[in-house]
Amino acid sequence: MIQAQDLTKVYQMGDSEVHALNGASFTIDEGEMVAIMGPSGSGKSTLMSIIGCLDVPTSGKYELDGLAVENMGESQLAEIRGRKIGFVFQQFNLLARTSALENVMLPLTYAGFSGKEREERARKALERVGLGDRTHHAPNELSGGQQQRVAIARALVNEPSILLADEPTGALDSKTGVEIMELFQSLHKDGGQTVILVTHDTFVARHANRIIRLSDGKIVSDEINQNPIKAGTPRTEE
Amino acid sequence: MLFSENLKIALRALRANKMRSMLTILGIVIGVATVVALLSIGEGATASITDQIQSGGSNLLTISPGRQEARFPGAGGGYRQTSYLYYSDYQLLKSALAESVSEIVPVYQSAYTVKFGDESLNTNVTGVLEAHKEIRSFEMSDGRFINDGDNKSQALVAVLGNTVAQDMFGSLSPIGKTIAINGVRFEVIGVLESKGASLGSPDDVVFIPIETGYNKLFGETATYNGKKTVNSILVSVMDTEGMDTVSAQIEFMLRRSHELKTSDALDFNIMSQADTLETLNSVTQTLTIFLGAIAGISLLVGGIGIMNIMLVSVTERTKEIGLRKAVGATKNQILTQFLIETVTLSLLGGIIGILLGVGIAYFFTVTGLISSVITADSILMAFFFALAIGMFFGIYPALRAASLHPMVALRYE
Ligand SMILES: Nc1ncnc2c1ncn2[C@@H]1O[C@H](COP(=O)(O)OP(=O)(O)O)[C@@H](O)[C@H]1O
Ligand SMILES: [Mg+2]
């Protein structure tokens, strides 16, 4: 459960200030699948970093599962990220020369799980994304789509309350992108996982059940998507 | 997070840049190897020299002429002897110290060409008395030493140091053979056992009766102002307790016989074995400090090199650090990871350095240059020094990594 109220974020760039967020308020319930949409530079990644506790807002209130995050210190934020958030990035961000299994185990390592339990859970997560047979492959031995699946397994492995994906299909071809969207939809449908997709791509956004549109750091619309695209449907421009 | 996991991460990162890692630790390797080799060789050298000096007897006093003067540049440089010890000094001391001294002998030494057949050798010829053998604890490998009868009759007999015998006679027995020293013919009556290449070793020396020397070999060079001179007088004191008293007595008597006023400096030296050891130790200490400082600088430079590379590595891995933070790594966990990486690097350098240093020390021993002594102390010291370097120079890069803002790190290209 996410409750955000009047979030602002101001970056200092030398003498000038960049207002990346200008008072955004919204609520996202558990089990929703939401797309945050907007043109490049509209503040999507900034909003994602605040939702994901990578950063705190300059002003405004943000509660995650009832915890007030805006005043937390670095180590508390790190702990919340490890426990409640799973990130998926555009560039996968896997560790090089490190097997898929070990990449997926990473969040559990920092959370202090024992070696055995780590491996078991990581294996299960890889199976969930359909890579049970690729556990010992290094990132450079996997295709882009497979790498993103490893990244999704890594995001799922600590059973987070929220899966946060920033342009998850941005580095993939459209066919692979659709497969990744299919995976998100099935994780949402079968596991009841809260999924927040950040994208500038309308087609990707229309896979979600709710679309929040952002422009210049403000929410310009927040609508239920009555007919989400079922992943696998060919791309049509609206 | 466990130490072993951090170590695994560290080793993986170091393996990813093998060449760079090796070059980075080179400074530490050299520094540590120098420290270990130096300490081992120094220890060995000190031990063997101490051994030699002490085997000479702890109750031995050596009196030698004490004043030297720099020569004028035109005269070829070097030093000119300006004070002498006389044979009469020896006679004076012998009669005066009969009570407190077990042996007292004069020594005159000079370099000559020694010939046997076609073999020719330039070596030191030393005039001695019978008691010399006892005082210097010589052992015979063949024949006998010079005795009082030889001196009384000014016999033309010689005893060879071991190396001299080897060089001139090879496998032949030298006993009974005739050698020529500066054209004067001597019969070889004995060969000494080797004492090894050491300070004042008798191996390269030919011994003759001192009386024979004065009358038939040394000639004018052995006199000054018409008086016979000696190179040194060896005094073997009855018991070690009496050393200081005897030393004072000698000083008093020689001052008088050399007609020195109380305000004049001594023109002779009285050295006990303890004095010699002390001088030697201060020399070795100075050397060790000097070389140790060089090794220390090398370690410092090595440490700075490691810090430099770690800073580069932190920058290169900014995105990785961001990712680690995104999946829940705390500041402390990142700090620990990078610190362990630096320490691993410097310890690796330390261990390779220790092996190299031990190898060098071993090489010195095997080749017979200096028998080095490798002590656990020196190895432990080198190890902890490397550890300390890693900690010290690792802390700054690790802090840089730990304090990166996760979002800024993730956006870094
Ligand atoms: N660390 C930063 N320092 C300064 N400006 C920033 C920083 N991060 C983002 N911005 C600015 O904030 C605005 C929003 O950026 P971002 O959230 O990345 O947008 P989006 O993800 O929608 O493209 C942009 O104008 C960007 O230049
Ligand atoms: Mg963005």
Side-chain angles (χ1 to χ4, degrees), chain A residues 174-202:
Chain A
S174 57
K175 183 171 165 288
T176 320
V178 165
E179 283 168 19
I180 293 298
M181 291 315 298
E182 217 169 347
L183 179 59
F184 278 122
Q185 278 188 332
S186 81
L187 288 172
H188 169 245
K189 208 168 121 224
D190 306 341
Q193 182 76 59
T194 311
V195 177
I196 301 176
L197 291 170
V198 173
T199 182
H200 69 279
D201 185 339
T202 318

PDB file of all heavy atoms in Angstrom, chain A residues 174-202:
ATOM      1  N   SER A 174      10.949  -5.608 -29.821  1.00  0.00           N
ATOM      2  CA  SER A 174       9.538  -5.570 -29.447  1.00  0.00           C
ATOM      3  C   SER A 174       9.003  -6.952 -29.094  1.00  0.00           C
ATOM      4  O   SER A 174       8.212  -7.105 -28.171  1.00  0.00           O
ATOM      5  CB  SER A 174       8.704  -4.939 -30.566  1.00  0.00           C
ATOM      6  OG  SER A 174       8.895  -5.671 -31.761  1.00  0.00           O
ATOM      7  N   LYS A 175       9.487  -7.995 -29.770  1.00  0.00           N
ATOM      8  CA  LYS A 175       8.994  -9.344 -29.485  1.00  0.00           C
ATOM      9  C   LYS A 175       9.401  -9.768 -28.070  1.00  0.00           C
ATOM     10  O   LYS A 175       8.577 -10.247 -27.289  1.00  0.00           O
ATOM     11  CB  LYS A 175       9.576 -10.322 -30.516  1.00  0.00           C
ATOM     12  CG  LYS A 175       9.072 -11.744 -30.345  1.00  0.00           C
ATOM     13  CD  LYS A 175       9.503 -12.609 -31.529  1.00  0.00           C
ATOM     14  CE  LYS A 175       9.342 -14.077 -31.211  1.00  0.00           C
ATOM     15  NZ  LYS A 175      10.341 -14.553 -30.256  1.00  0.00           N
ATOM     16  N   THR A 176      10.665  -9.540 -27.733  1.00  0.00           N
ATOM     17  CA  THR A 176      11.135  -9.888 -26.393  1.00  0.00           C
ATOM     18  C   THR A 176      10.439  -9.025 -25.359  1.00  0.00           C
ATOM     19  O   THR A 176      10.115  -9.477 -24.257  1.00  0.00           O
ATOM     20  CB  THR A 176      12.658  -9.696 -26.299  1.00  0.00           C
ATOM     21  OG1 THR A 176      13.245 -10.153 -27.508  1.00  0.00           O
ATOM     22  CG2 THR A 176      13.245 -10.473 -25.141  1.00  0.00           C
ATOM     23  N   GLY A 177      10.212  -7.755 -25.726  1.00  0.00           N
ATOM     24  CA  GLY A 177       9.522  -6.838 -24.823  1.00  0.00           C
ATOM     25  C   GLY A 177       8.155  -7.374 -24.457  1.00  0.00           C
ATOM     26  O   GLY A 177       7.745  -7.348 -23.287  1.00  0.00           O
ATOM     27  N   VAL A 178       7.441  -7.887 -25.451  1.00  0.00           N
ATOM     28  CA  VAL A 178       6.109  -8.443 -25.218  1.00  0.00           C
ATOM     29  C   VAL A 178       6.193  -9.638 -24.266  1.00  0.00           C
ATOM     30  O   VAL A 178       5.374  -9.787 -23.349  1.00  0.00           O
ATOM     31  CB  VAL A 178       5.460  -8.850 -26.562  1.00  0.00           C
ATOM     32  CG1 VAL A 178       4.256  -9.756 -26.331  1.00  0.00           C
ATOM     33  CG2 VAL A 178       5.050  -7.609 -27.338  1.00  0.00           C
ATOM     34  N   GLU A 179       7.242 -10.459 -24.445  1.00  0.00           N
ATOM     35  CA  GLU A 179       7.407 -11.613 -23.552  1.00  0.00           C
ATOM     36  C   GLU A 179       7.618 -11.169 -22.096  1.00  0.00           C
ATOM     37  O   GLU A 179       7.090 -11.778 -21.160  1.00  0.00           O
ATOM     38  CB  GLU A 179       8.619 -12.452 -23.997  1.00  0.00           C
ATOM     39  CG  GLU A 179       8.327 -13.307 -25.215  1.00  0.00           C
ATOM     40  CD  GLU A 179       9.595 -13.905 -25.817  1.00  0.00           C
ATOM     41  OE1 GLU A 179      10.626 -13.952 -25.115  1.00  0.00           O
ATOM     42  OE2 GLU A 179       9.539 -14.300 -26.994  1.00  0.00           O
ATOM     43  N   ILE A 180       8.384 -10.088 -21.953  1.00  0.00           N
ATOM     44  CA  ILE A 180       8.618  -9.577 -20.597  1.00  0.00           C
ATOM     45  C   ILE A 180       7.307  -9.053 -20.002  1.00  0.00           C
ATOM     46  O   ILE A 180       6.986  -9.283 -18.827  1.00  0.00           O
ATOM     47  CB  ILE A 180       9.712  -8.477 -20.619  1.00  0.00           C
ATOM     48  CG1 ILE A 180      11.070  -9.082 -20.996  1.00  0.00           C
ATOM     49  CG2 ILE A 180       9.806  -7.762 -19.262  1.00  0.00           C
ATOM     50  CD1 ILE A 180      11.606 -10.121 -20.036  1.00  0.00           C
ATOM     51  N   MET A 181       6.492  -8.362 -20.855  1.00  0.00           N
ATOM     52  CA  MET A 181       5.196  -7.862 -20.370  1.00  0.00           C
ATOM     53  C   MET A 181       4.292  -9.022 -19.962  1.00  0.00           C
ATOM     54  O   MET A 181       3.558  -8.940 -18.969  1.00  0.00           O
ATOM     55  CB  MET A 181       4.504  -7.015 -21.448  1.00  0.00           C
ATOM     56  CG  MET A 181       5.174  -5.682 -21.733  1.00  0.00           C
ATOM     57  SD  MET A 181       5.656  -4.792 -20.253  1.00  0.00           S
ATOM     58  CE  MET A 181       4.046  -4.565 -19.507  1.00  0.00           C
ATOM     59  N   GLU A 182       4.387 -10.085 -20.721  1.00  0.00           N
ATOM     60  CA  GLU A 182       3.613 -11.281 -20.409  1.00  0.00           C
ATOM     61  C   GLU A 182       3.994 -11.800 -19.014  1.00  0.00           C
ATOM     62  O   GLU A 182       3.130 -12.165 -18.208  1.00  0.00           O
ATOM     63  CB  GLU A 182       3.935 -12.361 -21.460  1.00  0.00           C
ATOM     64  CG  GLU A 182       2.760 -13.216 -21.856  1.00  0.00           C
ATOM     65  CD  GLU A 182       3.080 -14.067 -23.077  1.00  0.00           C
ATOM     66  OE1 GLU A 182       4.112 -13.802 -23.750  1.00  0.00           O
ATOM     67  OE2 GLU A 182       2.311 -14.984 -23.355  1.00  0.00           O
ATOM     68  N   LEU A 183       5.301 -11.788 -18.758  1.00  0.00           N
ATOM     69  CA  LEU A 183       5.802 -12.256 -17.465  1.00  0.00           C
ATOM     70  C   LEU A 183       5.263 -11.374 -16.338  1.00  0.00           C
ATOM     71  O   LEU A 183       4.771 -11.865 -15.317  1.00  0.00           O
ATOM     72  CB  LEU A 183       7.336 -12.259 -17.480  1.00  0.00           C
ATOM     73  CG  LEU A 183       8.036 -12.700 -16.192  1.00  0.00           C
ATOM     74  CD1 LEU A 183       7.614 -14.109 -15.808  1.00  0.00           C
ATOM     75  CD2 LEU A 183       9.549 -12.642 -16.366  1.00  0.00           C
ATOM     76  N   PHE A 184       5.320 -10.059 -16.537  1.00  0.00           N
ATOM     77  CA  PHE A 184       4.794  -9.153 -15.506  1.00  0.00           C
ATOM     78  C   PHE A 184       3.316  -9.416 -15.262  1.00  0.00           C
ATOM     79  O   PHE A 184       2.855  -9.459 -14.123  1.00  0.00           O
ATOM     80  CB  PHE A 184       4.997  -7.688 -15.915  1.00  0.00           C
ATOM     81  CG  PHE A 184       6.383  -7.176 -15.610  1.00  0.00           C
ATOM     82  CD1 PHE A 184       7.193  -6.671 -16.609  1.00  0.00           C
ATOM     83  CD2 PHE A 184       6.873  -7.194 -14.309  1.00  0.00           C
ATOM     84  CE1 PHE A 184       8.458  -6.198 -16.329  1.00  0.00           C
ATOM     85  CE2 PHE A 184       8.139  -6.722 -14.012  1.00  0.00           C
ATOM     86  CZ  PHE A 184       8.936  -6.227 -15.026  1.00  0.00           C
ATOM     87  N   GLN A 185       2.570  -9.582 -16.356  1.00  0.00           N
ATOM     88  CA  GLN A 185       1.131  -9.818 -16.198  1.00  0.00           C
ATOM     89  C   GLN A 185       0.860 -11.110 -15.439  1.00  0.00           C
ATOM     90  O   GLN A 185      -0.028 -11.159 -14.586  1.00  0.00           O
ATOM     91  CB  GLN A 185       0.453  -9.851 -17.570  1.00  0.00           C
ATOM     92  CG  GLN A 185       0.156  -8.447 -18.072  1.00  0.00           C
ATOM     93  CD  GLN A 185      -0.677  -8.451 -19.332  1.00  0.00           C
ATOM     94  OE1 GLN A 185      -0.625  -9.399 -20.117  1.00  0.00           O
ATOM     95  NE2 GLN A 185      -1.440  -7.388 -19.546  1.00  0.00           N
ATOM     96  N   SER A 186       1.640 -12.148 -15.733  1.00  0.00           N
ATOM     97  CA  SER A 186       1.369 -13.414 -15.047  1.00  0.00           C
ATOM     98  C   SER A 186       1.802 -13.345 -13.584  1.00  0.00           C
ATOM     99  O   SER A 186       1.149 -13.909 -12.707  1.00  0.00           O
ATOM    100  CB  SER A 186       2.041 -14.581 -15.774  1.00  0.00           C
ATOM    101  OG  SER A 186       3.384 -14.670 -15.423  1.00  0.00           O
ATOM    102  N   LEU A 187       2.890 -12.608 -13.302  1.00  0.00           N
ATOM    103  CA  LEU A 187       3.298 -12.438 -11.897  1.00  0.00           C
ATOM    104  C   LEU A 187       2.204 -11.710 -11.131  1.00  0.00           C
ATOM    105  O   LEU A 187       1.904 -12.018  -9.974  1.00  0.00           O
ATOM    106  CB  LEU A 187       4.598 -11.638 -11.812  1.00  0.00           C
ATOM    107  CG  LEU A 187       5.870 -12.353 -12.268  1.00  0.00           C
ATOM    108  CD1 LEU A 187       7.043 -11.381 -12.307  1.00  0.00           C
ATOM    109  CD2 LEU A 187       6.188 -13.528 -11.354  1.00  0.00           C
ATOM    110  N   HIS A 188       1.585 -10.737 -11.796  1.00  0.00           N
ATOM    111  CA  HIS A 188       0.532  -9.947 -11.170  1.00  0.00           C
ATOM    112  C   HIS A 188      -0.720 -10.789 -10.971  1.00  0.00           C
ATOM    113  O   HIS A 188      -1.342 -10.793  -9.916  1.00  0.00           O
ATOM    114  CB  HIS A 188       0.225  -8.731 -12.044  1.00  0.00           C
ATOM    115  CG  HIS A 188      -1.001  -8.001 -11.620  1.00  0.00           C
ATOM    116  ND1 HIS A 188      -2.130  -7.927 -12.406  1.00  0.00           N
ATOM    117  CD2 HIS A 188      -1.287  -7.337 -10.481  1.00  0.00           C
ATOM    118  CE1 HIS A 188      -3.057  -7.237 -11.760  1.00  0.00           C
ATOM    119  NE2 HIS A 188      -2.565  -6.861 -10.590  1.00  0.00           N
ATOM    120  N   LYS A 189      -1.061 -11.539 -11.999  1.00  0.00           N
ATOM    121  CA  LYS A 189      -2.309 -12.293 -11.969  1.00  0.00           C
ATOM    122  C   LYS A 189      -2.204 -13.508 -11.031  1.00  0.00           C
ATOM    123  O   LYS A 189      -3.043 -13.689 -10.144  1.00  0.00           O
ATOM    124  CB  LYS A 189      -2.643 -12.783 -13.387  1.00  0.00           C
ATOM    125  CG  LYS A 189      -4.147 -12.938 -13.598  1.00  0.00           C
ATOM    126  CD  LYS A 189      -4.469 -13.139 -15.071  1.00  0.00           C
ATOM    127  CE  LYS A 189      -5.191 -14.456 -15.238  1.00  0.00           C
ATOM    128  NZ  LYS A 189      -4.738 -15.249 -16.355  1.00  0.00           N
ATOM    129  N   ASP A 190      -1.110 -14.279 -11.188  1.00  0.00           N
ATOM    130  CA  ASP A 190      -0.987 -15.514 -10.399  1.00  0.00           C
ATOM    131  C   ASP A 190      -0.540 -15.247  -8.966  1.00  0.00           C
ATOM    132  O   ASP A 190      -1.006 -15.893  -8.030  1.00  0.00           O
ATOM    133  CB  ASP A 190       0.012 -16.477 -11.059  1.00  0.00           C
ATOM    134  CG  ASP A 190      -0.359 -16.748 -12.502  1.00  0.00           C
ATOM    135  OD1 ASP A 190      -1.534 -16.495 -12.845  1.00  0.00           O
ATOM    136  OD2 ASP A 190       0.517 -17.196 -13.268  1.00  0.00           O
ATOM    137  N   GLY A 191       0.394 -14.312  -8.817  1.00  0.00           N
ATOM    138  CA  GLY A 191       0.961 -14.116  -7.486  1.00  0.00           C
ATOM    139  C   GLY A 191       0.337 -12.952  -6.734  1.00  0.00           C
ATOM    140  O   GLY A 191       0.666 -12.706  -5.587  1.00  0.00           O
ATOM    141  N   GLY A 192      -0.519 -12.174  -7.386  1.00  0.00           N
ATOM    142  CA  GLY A 192      -1.106 -11.013  -6.734  1.00  0.00           C
ATOM    143  C   GLY A 192      -0.074  -9.947  -6.400  1.00  0.00           C
ATOM    144  O   GLY A 192      -0.224  -9.139  -5.496  1.00  0.00           O
ATOM    145  N   GLN A 193       1.018  -9.945  -7.159  1.00  0.00           N
ATOM    146  CA  GLN A 193       2.133  -9.035  -6.922  1.00  0.00           C
ATOM    147  C   GLN A 193       1.763  -7.608  -7.348  1.00  0.00           C
ATOM    148  O   GLN A 193       1.205  -7.424  -8.419  1.00  0.00           O
ATOM    149  CB  GLN A 193       3.324  -9.527  -7.753  1.00  0.00           C
ATOM    150  CG  GLN A 193       4.588  -8.750  -7.611  1.00  0.00           C
ATOM    151  CD  GLN A 193       5.265  -9.082  -6.306  1.00  0.00           C
ATOM    152  OE1 GLN A 193       5.596 -10.219  -6.035  1.00  0.00           O
ATOM    153  NE2 GLN A 193       5.443  -8.073  -5.478  1.00  0.00           N
ATOM    154  N   THR A 194       2.061  -6.622  -6.492  1.00  0.00           N
ATOM    155  CA  THR A 194       1.910  -5.231  -6.909  1.00  0.00           C
ATOM    156  C   THR A 194       3.010  -4.928  -7.921  1.00  0.00           C
ATOM    157  O   THR A 194       4.180  -5.177  -7.662  1.00  0.00           O
ATOM    158  CB  THR A 194       2.065  -4.266  -5.716  1.00  0.00           C
ATOM    159  OG1 THR A 194       1.244  -4.736  -4.647  1.00  0.00           O
ATOM    160  CG2 THR A 194       1.704  -2.851  -6.102  1.00  0.00           C
ATOM    161  N   VAL A 195       2.583  -4.415  -9.089  1.00  0.00           N
ATOM    162  CA  VAL A 195       3.578  -4.126 -10.123  1.00  0.00           C
ATOM    163  C   VAL A 195       3.442  -2.668 -10.528  1.00  0.00           C
ATOM    164  O   VAL A 195       2.337  -2.205 -10.816  1.00  0.00           O
ATOM    165  CB  VAL A 195       3.383  -5.030 -11.364  1.00  0.00           C
ATOM    166  CG1 VAL A 195       4.385  -4.669 -12.450  1.00  0.00           C
ATOM    167  CG2 VAL A 195       3.514  -6.500 -10.984  1.00  0.00           C
ATOM    168  N   ILE A 196       4.543  -1.930 -10.510  1.00  0.00           N
ATOM    169  CA  ILE A 196       4.520  -0.553 -10.999  1.00  0.00           C
ATOM    170  C   ILE A 196       5.495  -0.454 -12.167  1.00  0.00           C
ATOM    171  O   ILE A 196       6.692  -0.711 -12.019  1.00  0.00           O
ATOM    172  CB  ILE A 196       4.909   0.451  -9.901  1.00  0.00           C
ATOM    173  CG1 ILE A 196       3.933   0.326  -8.726  1.00  0.00           C
ATOM    174  CG2 ILE A 196       4.922   1.865 -10.453  1.00  0.00           C
ATOM    175  CD1 ILE A 196       4.275   1.209  -7.544  1.00  0.00           C
ATOM    176  N   LEU A 197       4.920  -0.137 -13.345  1.00  0.00           N
ATOM    177  CA  LEU A 197       5.733  -0.039 -14.561  1.00  0.00           C
ATOM    178  C   LEU A 197       5.968   1.422 -14.869  1.00  0.00           C
ATOM    179  O   LEU A 197       5.022   2.204 -14.913  1.00  0.00           O
ATOM    180  CB  LEU A 197       4.971  -0.644 -15.741  1.00  0.00           C
ATOM    181  CG  LEU A 197       4.735  -2.143 -15.766  1.00  0.00           C
ATOM    182  CD1 LEU A 197       3.759  -2.475 -16.900  1.00  0.00           C
ATOM    183  CD2 LEU A 197       6.050  -2.858 -15.980  1.00  0.00           C
ATOM    184  N   VAL A 198       7.193   1.805 -15.075  1.00  0.00           N
ATOM    185  CA  VAL A 198       7.492   3.165 -15.495  1.00  0.00           C
ATOM    186  C   VAL A 198       7.867   3.112 -16.961  1.00  0.00           C
ATOM    187  O   VAL A 198       8.736   2.332 -17.349  1.00  0.00           O
ATOM    188  CB  VAL A 198       8.655   3.760 -14.664  1.00  0.00           C
ATOM    189  CG1 VAL A 198       9.078   5.105 -15.222  1.00  0.00           C
ATOM    190  CG2 VAL A 198       8.250   3.882 -13.208  1.00  0.00           C
ATOM    191  N   THR A 199       7.160   3.893 -17.789  1.00  0.00           N
ATOM    192  CA  THR A 199       7.452   3.818 -19.225  1.00  0.00           C
ATOM    193  C   THR A 199       7.029   5.089 -19.951  1.00  0.00           C
ATOM    194  O   THR A 199       6.157   5.821 -19.494  1.00  0.00           O
ATOM    195  CB  THR A 199       6.754   2.592 -19.854  1.00  0.00           C
ATOM    196  OG1 THR A 199       7.092   2.528 -21.228  1.00  0.00           O
ATOM    197  CG2 THR A 199       5.242   2.674 -19.708  1.00  0.00           C
ATOM    198  N   HIS A 200       7.676   5.344 -21.047  1.00  0.00           N
ATOM    199  CA  HIS A 200       7.229   6.458 -21.882  1.00  0.00           C
ATOM    200  C   HIS A 200       6.400   5.921 -23.043  1.00  0.00           C
ATOM    201  O   HIS A 200       5.874   6.672 -23.847  1.00  0.00           O
ATOM    202  CB  HIS A 200       8.434   7.233 -22.417  1.00  0.00           C
ATOM    203  CG  HIS A 200       9.219   6.437 -23.426  1.00  0.00           C
ATOM    204  ND1 HIS A 200      10.138   5.492 -23.043  1.00  0.00           N
ATOM    205  CD2 HIS A 200       9.189   6.432 -24.774  1.00  0.00           C
ATOM    206  CE1 HIS A 200      10.664   4.922 -24.124  1.00  0.00           C
ATOM    207  NE2 HIS A 200      10.090   5.475 -25.198  1.00  0.00           N
ATOM    208  N   ASP A 201       6.268   4.566 -23.115  1.00  0.00           N
ATOM    209  CA  ASP A 201       5.675   3.884 -24.261  1.00  0.00           C
ATOM    210  C   ASP A 201       4.201   3.568 -23.964  1.00  0.00           C
ATOM    211  O   ASP A 201       3.889   2.777 -23.065  1.00  0.00           O
ATOM    212  CB  ASP A 201       6.478   2.590 -24.494  1.00  0.00           C
ATOM    213  CG  ASP A 201       6.019   1.851 -25.742  1.00  0.00           C
ATOM    214  OD1 ASP A 201       4.876   2.083 -26.205  1.00  0.00           O
ATOM    215  OD2 ASP A 201       6.810   1.025 -26.250  1.00  0.00           O
ATOM    216  N   THR A 202       3.285   4.179 -24.715  1.00  0.00           N
ATOM    217  CA  THR A 202       1.843   3.996 -24.487  1.00  0.00           C
ATOM    218  C   THR A 202       1.445   2.532 -24.589  1.00  0.00           C
ATOM    219  O   THR A 202       0.654   2.044 -23.792  1.00  0.00           O
ATOM    220  CB  THR A 202       1.034   4.782 -25.541  1.00  0.00           C
ATOM    221  OG1 THR A 202       1.657   6.052 -25.702  1.00  0.00           O
ATOM    222  CG2 THR A 202      -0.394   4.967 -25.089  1.00  0.00           C
TER     223      THR A 202
END
